[in-house]
Each structure stands twice: as structure tokens, then as C-alpha cells.
Amino acid sequence: MAFPPLPQSPFVRFVRSESFAGLLLVLTAIMAFIWANSPWRDVYFTLQHTHLALSAGTAALDLSLEHWVNDGLMAVFFLLVGLEIKRELLIGELASRRRATLAVAAAAGGMLLPGALYYLLNAGGLGASGWGVPMATDIAFALGVLALLGSRVPLGLKVFLTALAIVDDLGAVLVIALFYTESVNLTFLALAALTWGVALLAGLKGAPSMKVYAVLGILLWFFVLKSGLHATIAGVMLAFTVPIRKPDPSQYLASLTDAARPGRSEVVGARLRDLEDLLERSQSPLHRMEHALHPFVTFAVLPIFALVNAGVSVSGAGFGAISYGVMLGLLLGKPLGVVGGAWLAVRSGVASLPRRVTWFHMVGAGILAGIGFTMSLFVSNLAFEDVALLTQAKLGVLMASVLAAALGAGWLVVTSKKMPGTAQDF
């Protein structure tokens, strides 16, 4: 008799889905790049700058397609990032002090050193404002590369890289909020704070309805956009109001007991469906929102973002100091900063390496952390308004991300041996 396969852990399912997300991002980015350099390039850039207007009463928004994607859809991406950060801080990998310390130390080094190297190369020049571009890691790409290596790398390395990328994302959000906001409208900022307070109160009261957060999230996004802060920050703000605690299981006990009673096959089937529904509702609002958003972000938000932003026309454009600064930060600053920060944390005794993870693995993870794609392209749009400067930044990001993926994979293949005991990790 054949038994069904054992259910995979949530982390393994996460790695698999992120791996596919990385592949989808690569294909979409390639398609956008080819389109922007084809005879139909004018169609691409015309669509990118086509304006779409929405109005509700006296409120109106008129944004280009590029801005709707970068300010609107990406707010949903940042909402998912915020949910993941909160989950990891409370019950995940960052809830353990030693593991959190390792990730924070590595992420700090992996953000400060790339930014410093970039600034040294561009200080006083037109590209000085782009120091935030090489600071973040694209988790989908990085985990996608690790998944291709199979059992050559231990699960602990994937856990570390995930935690590192999450801390990186949190750092990127702070950088955007503090350094890439030009002016603030205090009236709309106050309305945003009031809306966030209502969402926080709803979370403290344990409001389980996703409709509540959807309405409050749209209002919060609008007020943050009008305040002058980048609208995507609203996603992270909303995420931190969503409760992670589970409902009292006693309220489901009677229903679960009734659903488990024997009966006719069709009755049992109906009861099992009821049981599945009850188990789903017994999850915390944060888990339910995260599970609901993940497919949408994976299959829609990120591919659309890549399609709109990775189309860089190289006609008449070339590499410059901005491109070289981005590449220096991602390809050299990232591995040195990540490994250096982790080494200091381990050396001082406040952290330790994950099980089966060696320093050779950590160097590979540091190189893969140089895959900046999504967040680096996003910060590029904030740092540069001039098309020529933005093109330089995007070329640097794309080239560095491709090289980091190839070099990181090559390093881990050469320095790692196949681990029979980790096959079940995949």
C-alpha cells in the first residue's frame, strides 16, 4: 500500500515558491530588456508613461502606469514583507536571540559597506544620491539559486539567507523613509497616523476580518502617498497592526468534535470540508493574510514590476560611475560586509553559525546577497529622476545581479560537497 508523501514544512514550501518566483522574475526581466531594445521599444516606453486616473468624490489620482506599479502594486509587496518581518521577529528565525544577532550583524555589514563603497566612488558627483541602491538583497533570486544547488547546501544556509534578506528589507524600508523623502505634508501625515492608529486598535481587539484591513490599508496608502512619504511604507505600517496570535481554540472544539463523528460517506465528506474551514479560520489573521497575498505577489506584483522596470534601453547609454558604484557595492561590498559582520558576531560570542554551515557557505551566501534586483531597482527609481542617471543605475543593478547569481552558485558548487543527510530538506 502506497502512503502519501509527508507534508512539507512551511519553510520548505516557502523556499520552493520563492524559487519559482525567482525564475519568473528572471524571465520577465529578460523579456522587458529585450522589448526595450527591440524595434518596438517606443511601444514599451509609451506604455510605461501612459497616465491612468482614478477618482472617488473629491479625491483624485492621476499617475503614470510606472507609478501605479511602483507606488501602488509594490505597496502590496511591502505589506507581505512587513508580515514576514513581524512573523520572523515574533515566532520565526529572528525570535531566537543568537540567530537574530547573526542575521542582524551580517545584514548591517552587508548594507553599510556596499553603501560606503558606492559613495566613495560617487561622492560629489551626480550619482551621490544613489548610495542606497546596492544595499538590499532580492530574496526570491537568492533562494532560487540555492534551490538549484539541491543538497549541496544545508538547510541552515537557506534559513540564514532568508533571515538576512528580511533584515535587509527592514533596513531598506528605513532608508526609504528617512533618506528618500523630499517633503512632508503634515495634514496628510496626521491623517495617515490616525488611520494607522485605528488599524492598530483593530489588531489589538483581534479583528479577524480581512475586509477591515483592506479598507484601512487603502486609506492609509492614499494618505501616506499624499503626505510625501513613499506610498509603499503604508504596506509595512499596516503589516505591523495585523495580529499574529491565534483565536481561542475552545470556540472551535465543539465544531471539531462534531465534524469528526462517523457517518455516511457524503456526510463525512461534508464534515471534513467543515473541518478544513474551521482549521483555516483558526489561523491568526497574519498567517491568513500572508498566505492569501503570497500567490498574488509571486505571480502578479513582482513580474509586473520587473516588466515595467527592467526595460533598460542601452542605445546611446553606457556604464558610468553610477553603474560601477552599484556593481562594486553589490559584488564586493555585499560579501565582505555580510561575512565580516557575521564573523564579528560569532567571534564575540553573541552568535553562532547554523548547523552544518561553514564559513565557505557563508562566503557563498554573501556573494548571493549581491543579487539586489527588486529592491535595488526600486531604490534606483527613488534616487534618480534623470533618465540617463537612472539608466546607469539599472544597468549596474542588472549586471551585478546576474554576476552575483553566477559567482555565488559557482562558489558553492566548488566549495561544497553533496550532503546525503539533507536531501529531505527539499
Side-chain angles (χ1 to χ4, degrees), residues 22-58:
L23 177 61
L24 190 59
L25 272 177
V26 169
L27 295 176
T28 313
I30 291 173
M31 184 172 69
F33 189 82
I34 293 174
W35 189 1
N37 291 279
S38 72
W40 302 279
R41 65 171 67 90
D42 291 340
V43 177
Y44 177 86
F45 292 108
T46 299
L47 285 174
Q48 192 182 52
H49 297 102
T50 298
H51 275 248
L52 300 173
L54 287 180
S55 61
T58 58

Side-chain angles (χ1 to χ4, degrees), residues 94-149:
L94 300 180
S96 165
R97 183 181 62 83
R98 293 182 68 82
R99 284 181 290 188
T101 301
L102 182 68
V104 170
M111 295 185 73
L112 293 176
L113 190 55
L117 290 177
Y118 175 94
Y119 192 76
L120 285 176
L121 199 61
N122 287 274
L126 296 175
S129 61
W131 56 268
V133 174
M135 295 179 71
T137 297
D138 191 304
I139 187 173
F141 275 0
L143 287 177
V145 173
L146 280 185
L148 294 176
L149 299 178

Side-chain angles (χ1 to χ4, degrees), residues 22 38 47 65 68 76 104 152 158 163 177 203 239 243 255 258 265 312 315-316 341-342 353 370 398:
S38 72
L47 285 174
L65 180 61
W68 276 116
V76 182
V104 170
R152 288 182 179 274
K158 303 177 184 67
S255 299
D258 181 67
S265 59
V312 181
S315 59
L353 293 184
L398 294 174

Side-chain angles (χ1 to χ4, degrees), residues 156-291:
L157 189 67
K158 303 177 184 67
V159 173
F160 165 75
L161 190 57
T162 301
L164 168 69
I166 288 173
V167 177
D168 253 357
D169 286 342
L170 180 58
V173 170
L174 293 176
V175 167
I176 291 169
L178 297 176
F179 300 102
Y180 289 103
T181 297
E182 295 182 358
S183 60
V184 176
N185 183 308
L186 295 180
T187 300
F188 281 106
L189 186 62
L191 289 172
L194 179 62
T195 306
W196 187 77
V198 173
L200 186 63
L201 182 62
L204 292 175
K205 295 293 185 180
S209 174
M210 295 299 103
K211 294 179 181 179
V212 172
Y213 294 107
V215 173
L216 291 174
I218 292 172
L219 289 174
L220 181 61
W221 175 83
F222 178 78
F223 292 143
V224 170
L225 176 67
K226 289 293 188 179
S227 74
L229 295 176
H230 200 272
T232 53
I233 295 173
V236 179
M237 292 173 63
L238 182 66
F240 277 82
T241 70
V242 181
I244 195 171
R245 61 183 181 275
K246 294 182 179 181
D248 183 3
S250 62
Q251 61 181 307
Y252 301 108
L253 186 58
S255 299
L256 292 174
T257 303
D258 181 67
R261 291 175 183 171
R264 296 188 305 275
S265 59
E266 62 272 16
V267 176
V268 172
R271 286 173 175 167
L272 286 175
R273 287 191 293 273
D274 291 341
L275 179 59
E276 290 177 355
D277 180 63
L278 288 168
L279 290 174
E280 174 69 20
R281 285 190 284 119
S282 69
Q283 291 183 325
S284 72
L286 186 144
H287 283 92
R288 286 192 285 123
M289 185 180 292
E290 188 176 352
H291 293 162

